[in-house]
Amino acid sequence: MSVLEATSVTKRFGGLTAVKDVSLVVNEGEVVGLIGPNGAGKTTFFNCLTGMETPTAGSVLYKGSQLPGRPDLITKAGVARTFQNIRLFNNMTALENVMVGRHTRTKAGVLAAVGRGPRYHREERESEEKARELLTFVGLGRVGDELAKSLPYGDQRRLEIARALATEPGLLLLDEPTAGMNPNETAAARDLVRAVQGKGIAVVLIEHDMRFVFGLCDRVAVLVQGEKLLEGSPAEVQSDERVIAAYLGKPTEDTAGES
Amino acid sequence: MQTFLQQLVNGVVLGATYGLVALGYTMVYGIVQLINFAHGEIYMLGGFGALFTYTVLLPGGTPVVLALVLMLLGGMVVSITAALLMERFAYRPLRGAPRLAPLITALGVSIFLQELVRNFYPAKSPRPFPQLVDPSHQFSLGASVEISAPRLLTVVVAVIGMVALSTFVRRSRTGRAMQATAQDPDTARLMGIDTDRIIVTAFVLGAALAAVSGLASGLQFGTVDPRMGFLTGVKAFTAAVLGGIGNISGAVLGGFTLGIVEVMATQYAPDPFSGGAWKDAWAFVVLILVLVFRPSGLLGERVAARA
Amino acid sequence: MQAPRLVRVAAPLIIGALVLSACGSKSESGSGSGNITLTLGVIAPLSGDLSAVGNGIKNGVELAIKQANENKTIKGVTLKLDAEDDTAKAEVGAQVAAKLVADSSVIGVVGPLNSSVAKSTAPVLSQANIASISPSNSNVDLTNRGVLATGGTQTRPYKSYFRVCATDDIQGPFAADYAVKDLGKKTIAIVHDKKAYGQGLAEAFAKQAKADGATVLPTETINPGDKDFSAIVTKLKAAKPDFLFYGGEYPEASLLTKQMKAGGLNIPLMGGDGVDAAEYIKIAGASANGDLATALGAPTDSLASAKQFLTDYKAAAYADPADPYGAASYDAANAIIKALAKAVGDGKKSGQAVRDEVTKEVQDSDFEGVTGKISFDQFGDTNTKILTVYSVKDGKFVAAKSGTFGG
């Protein structure tokens, strides 16, 4: 069964069509790469999937049912994401960041907190335990009480993933998870995505690091100028001349022929 | 020395009210960057709600403690209802509008609420407020430094309110969601937080604390009047800015600082700039000095780091 | 002095004249029917903290108008009331005064309550030469009485402004004499609210108290609207005064006396007529016992001449009490009604002519009103300067001493 089924998603901003008629299917446990030059509409496509933008046309099904139109409800349904520019809650600790991610999976409201009943305490305790587990899972087990803004860059990316995982998603959207990372950190990120996959969570990732993408993804889709150019296995995509042309930016017959 | 200590006590009592009301300003500002000038009126409505509960709803001879609890609940109901309505109908439609629009709306709401209460309680303002806590009952704090029962109560409930709120915000699920929304509303939404509800929660909590303060003020002064929210609102807002608007501990610190500066200016400022009439001028001198050296207020760092 | 005043008067004068000429023709056409309607204006705070007092003024005037219409005191004229709410604010006062000026049927005004408001209404009304009589303005500047204290020559600032009450320069000293000579107080604290009324009263009190030999502490001031006076109480307590004089009004005075007594400063608070209100005692409760207030005139219910007025007032079943200024307002209204009757008798029925004539006749008023003899000196001040000290006993203001003060 497919986790995500996006059909003919289109997003126009005034006269500009940022995403045009893009369809994408993600199956359970899959890691799908989304590549394309800057400005190809990859992030806008993510925004359409997570409710930050409302698609002008097209439909998005998550596990067979229509996604609601609001970001918070989409998260609740099971779609989580990270950001190209890290967007952590800087003035909260790493642990608190992850606990915020658990918001939809907990219930206690204002009254429960004021009353401080047993359910509230139990839920808080469980929530903290789960958050600590997730921090350990992404390799941040020891920095839980540090402020998010004081963490090194690579750790911040991992914290974002932990926070997204805390929402207990079925589908995780990663927007350039290795941007700004050194080779060691990139390797760790690859392991982390595999571990996430191991939990049975489907992943879609936007990435510019081709080695990372082709080494990790089960399938890769290429977006150019808002349209899906092609989709296939890493090998297929890697060898497609249009991809090379799009990436090199000069589609001369010579280079295409040589490869 | 005695005089100094007594003035310190006076300042703490004054600051307790400022701080409690300032929390409402700072919470709403922290989350929606709205200076809710009508918050002073929410405080006033808390006082009138408590008075209404006492005079209309409570049967004579209700035990004092029970009466106080019910009056507090009555005040909260009125304050919270008003806050909910103003959020829903005055501010929410303007979310995303230029900053000036909600600001002017807030002033309009403030005047509207004042006049509304004036029309409910015409002609004879200020209204006498039942003296359920005997003001002539004095507690001695050592060498002829005294605090009357209702003034002590004001400080006690203010401190309880402040501690409860700050614990709530730091330690509870909803509190964390409030912090998250304050720091980055879009991302908060993507973490599954219904930010509309969080905004409503901020208004409700602010209103509840303002109602506590409104009741305490009624008990302390023995009157409530429709314009009482204006001056207190201005002072509380000043306290919030002084402490660093958006910062909860800052609002409390700002409230006490402002209260103490005011009384000390009354007592010690040099002639001809001494006395009650100049206390506000001194309070603003301190505000300006703080803002010159710490533009985001005493504890304003956390807000400055936003975005 | 002349030039700026000229500039200040010019603009409203022109506007007023334009409006008048526009409206004049209208009322002339109305007068053809034989019975014309003219208007007596009231400017007073009808809403807000002082509305109880303001409504007392309005009611006193309304009663006088009703009786004049019933008795047909003014031949061929039906008088109606136009009560304007000044909300106790000077700028609002100026607006409503301009509104009354613009209405050509307005032939006189009773009010306003506050001296600070009168300072903005008197110039407007005087430019149109509309007689205005205040039942309660006690600030000296309004008739330029202030110069008397320094031996200057008094000149009249507002040619159609009158008042039927005594002034601060008398109220303050009268209170001071009572405190120092009758009560034997020696160390007196002074607090005022910085408004024209409160400050004028407090300064006049302080001056006379010093002259009477008491020690007067440095003046403390508060802001109208303040509620927490604990800092001032603590400060004053250290100086050990045996008496406090407050220049201002009851909303602050009642909280001040309460906090004084709760804070262990058990001395009487004395105020002017702004403190002489039932609300003062209601709010201050037991703390008010022993506190004092002066009021202009003699207590209405102590005057034989006021019996009928009080009966009529009661019969009219007004929501707000006649005191403190209902009776004086009734007298003020009657001064204008009598003047109008003479003016109409002289054939002056409309336009500027009737306003001019009414002002002239008010100046020459000489009759026994319910509060005493009504007549004015050349500056618009009453010749009858009676004051009374009241003290709070068992939750009521009780007259302690009535009299006149030297000036």
Side-chain angles (χ1 to χ4, degrees), chain C residues 49-62:
Chain C
D49 296 337
L50 296 166
S51 60
V53 182
N55 279 311
I57 294 177
K58 179 187 139 195
N59 296 340
V61 175
E62 195 173 273

Side-chain angles (χ1 to χ4, degrees), chain B residues 205-264:
Chain B
L205 289 175
L209 293 178
V212 170
S213 194
L215 170 65
S217 161
L219 292 172
Q220 188 186 337
F221 300 120
T223 62
V224 286
D225 73 278
R227 67 176 183 183
M228 72 195 245
F230 176 74
L231 209 60
T232 307
V234 170
K235 293 291 178 59
F237 173 63
T238 308
V241 173
L242 187 65
I245 191 151
N247 183 299
I248 286 176
S249 320
V252 174
L253 180 65
F256 285 120
T257 307
L258 193 66
I260 291 170
V261 166
E262 280 189 21
V263 296
M264 291 307 167

Side-chain angles (χ1 to χ4, degrees), chain C residues 300-349:
Chain C
T300 313
D301 55 10
S302 77
L303 298 168
S305 53
K307 271 209 181 86
Q308 186 59 42
F309 166 77
L310 286 174
T311 310
D312 294 345
Y313 194 95
K314 209 172 157 199
Y318 292 117
D320 294 293
D323 278 337
Y325 299 118
S329 302
Y330 178 80
D331 280 347
N334 276 326
I336 293 172
I337 289 166
K338 284 177 200 297
L340 178 63
K342 282 185 201 153
V344 170
D346 293 346
K348 310 256 171 52
K349 289 187 180 174

